[in-house]
Amino acid sequence: AQTVTQSQPEMSVQEAETVTLSCTYDTSESDYYLFWYKQPPSRQMILVIRQEAYKQQNATENRFSVNFQKAAKSFSLKISDSQLGDAAMYFCAYLGTYKYIFGTGTRLKVLA
Amino acid sequence: ETGVTQTPRHLVMGMTNKKSLKCEQHLGHNAMYWYKQSAKKPLELMFVYNFKEQTENNSVPSRFSPECPNSSHLFLHLHTLQPEDSALYLCASSQERSGGAGSYNEQFFGPGTRLTVL
């Protein structure tokens, strides 16, 4: 069975600095997708960034980028120039064979 | 209304009550999901509906009963719940992946219903 692990329950970053959230997963599938979702205190979860496993190039979305290491089954999220609005729970998610699996989340605090 | 909406946002109920959670999506998607979010646990997928047909039920107790009358609406009927059922219940929708490289079914989430069972 597939699993997703986020080993950092909580992280803090100074405003304007860079932070990296880690995610590892386990799967025997070769075709899958990986996502980072953000859940602000208002609770509505939104997609931050996605990565197709067949693509070697790391996805980038403005200040958000990923470091996708397929062989190591690692999928970390880097947030550059952190802003107060980035404070939220961040969930790593795996999608394979039409089924989503989420990690336990990392709470990110942004310090002014 | 846009996106995915859920009502009520907060619900407190006794163990003998019967209540329902409602989810509506305005995105034209063909799949809808119920998740349970508890503190320090991964999101738990409870039910999946594709094209109004239930395709997955992850060993959810029968005190939770889903209903999907059409592709835009999803209900979760609750009866004789237990205190450990207290959690945030999230609804999501997606366009089912058509298959093949380059397609995926990104999920769009509602704001959730905070359920407290006394």
Side-chain angles (χ1 to χ4, degrees):
Chain A
Q2 295 86 10
T3 59
V4 175
T5 302
Q6 292 180 251
S7 59
Q8 305 153 316
E10 192 170 293
M11 294 278 288
S12 295
V13 63
Q14 205 70 36
E15 199 175 2
E17 297 295 309
T18 296
V19 65
T20 298
L21 310 183
S22 65
C23 173
T24 59
Y25 59 95
D26 189 25
T27 183
S28 58
E29 297 177 317
S30 57
D31 182 24
Y32 53 88
Y33 301 88
L34 296 163
F35 305 84
W36 278 98
Y37 280 89
K38 171 185 177 181
Q39 188 179 39
S42 63
R43 298 200 302 253
Q44 190 136 14
M45 201 166 329
I46 56 173
L47 179 68
V48 174
I49 198 165
R50 56 185 170 262
Q51 175 80 42
E52 292 89 338
Y54 66 89
K55 288 188 178 178
Q56 292 187 336
Q57 186 174 8
N58 289 325
T60 299
E61 197 73 41
N62 299 317
R63 298 182 296 106
F64 298 88
S65 62
V66 299
N67 183 4
F68 175 48
Q69 302 288 328
K70 190 172 184 179
K73 297 192 173 94
S74 170
F75 182 60
S76 60
L77 174 69
K78 185 171 84 171
I79 306 174
S80 304
D81 186 25
S82 297
Q83 300 175 359
L84 294 177
D86 295 332
M89 282 289 288
Y90 286 82
F91 292 93
C92 178
Y94 168 99
L95 173 61
T97 323
Y98 300 90
K99 185 173 180 178
Y100 260 84
I101 299 172
F102 286 82
T104 51
T106 296
R107 182 171 301 282
L108 179 66
K109 295 184 177 180
V110 181
L111 308 173
Chain B
E1 293 278 14
T2 58
V4 181
T5 57
Q6 289 185 245
T7 54
R9 295 292 304 274
H10 300 270
L11 178 62
V12 179
M13 60 187 289
M15 289 191 286
T16 59
N17 292 155
K18 289 185 180 180
K19 296 286 184 183
S20 295
L21 309 185
K22 179 183 176 182
C23 175
E24 185 173 359
Q25 59 97 358
H26 310 268
L27 301 167
H29 289 162
N30 57 17
M32 296 186 77
Y33 311 78
W34 278 117
Y35 287 90
K36 176 183 178 182
Q37 185 178 17
S38 305
K40 299 182 181 178
K41 286 186 175 181
L43 263 68
E44 299 173 50
L45 180 63
M46 300 175 71
F47 300 104
V48 180
Y49 277 83
N50 286 332
F51 299 100
K52 300 184 296 179
E53 297 293 323
Q54 185 176 312
T55 59
E56 190 149 348
N57 173 351
N58 286 337
S59 302
V60 179
S62 60
R63 56 186 184 269
F64 295 92
S65 174
E67 179 190 0
C68 188
N70 55 60
S71 59
S72 299
H73 294 85
L74 184 64
F75 295 90
L76 187 62
H77 303 300
L78 316 171
H79 64 98
T80 60
L81 294 191
Q82 304 298 311
E84 60 264 30
D85 297 323
S86 298
L88 181 68
Y89 288 84
L90 293 171
C91 174
S93 72
S94 69
Q95 187 63 25
E96 185 182 11
R97 188 169 68 174
S98 59
S103 60
Y104 61 89
N105 54 341
E106 171 191 344
Q107 296 197 351
F108 291 79
F109 287 84
T113 295
R114 172 66 64 188
L115 174 67
T116 303
V117 182
L118 302 177

